[in-house]
Amino acid sequence: IVTRRFVEGEEYVSHLWLVPLDGDGAEPRRLTSGTVRDMEPRIAPDGTRVAFTRSTPAGDRHDLRILDLRGGESVGPALGDLSAVDIAWSPDGGRIAFRARTDPQRFIVGPVPKPGDKDATEPRARRVMTLDYRWDETGYLDRRRQLFLVDAVEGAVPRNLTSLACGVDAFAWRPDGR
């Protein structure tokens, strides 16, 4: 399963495609559609489902979606304000781990602008006291990423597994599912 990015109108969009590799002449099949950016496809251990992240072309938030490859619409856990990245299936296919930025925000001085406020896209000021305040092509690292776990079913609520001051940069599942 691959992500194909293209321009639709004035927006970049991306959809998931199932590309046969066995050489039987079958054509690639588009799995998702719409004015969305579908990325990070991860096939479940049993091969029947794919988990992926979805965002709108204008948004920075990535929802977690799960699609049954036998047919139907994608469904998603209830992530609330979390934006999922680096998703990974558990070895038994029952859960998905992911990283997401969490509060509290570091460095912020003054009121934080509300999402969608076009007059104030940045906070009033930042008081930077550490060397790890910025990342190239990402910007200020005001919030650290932590590790979350969620059941791979519609409406499931994620559980926060870490609350590290340094954040979580990477993770891996153990073969026993821990």
Side-chain angles (χ1 to χ4, degrees), residues 76-149:
L79 298 188
D81 293 335
L82 296 175
S83 180
V85 296
D86 301 329
I87 60 177
W89 286 94
S90 64
D92 67 0
R95 299 168 292 161
I96 299 172
F98 63 92
R99 294 185 318 127
R101 288 196 173 112
T102 61
D103 287 330
Q105 291 192 5
R106 307 179 315 153
F107 315 131
I108 305 298
V109 176
V112 177
K114 291 182 173 66
D117 185 357
K118 294 179 183 180
D119 295 331
T121 58
E122 291 288 324
R124 181 177 298 160
R126 288 182 171 87
R127 182 173 185 235
V128 176
M129 302 296 288
T130 63
L131 293 175
D132 65 343
Y133 71 96
R134 194 169 170 90
W135 190 256
D136 289 343
E137 297 182 31
T138 299
Y140 290 99
L141 298 175
D142 289 329
R143 298 187 305 159
R144 295 287 194 184
R145 285 201 168 107
Q146 301 296 334
L147 183 61
F148 290 83
L149 183 65

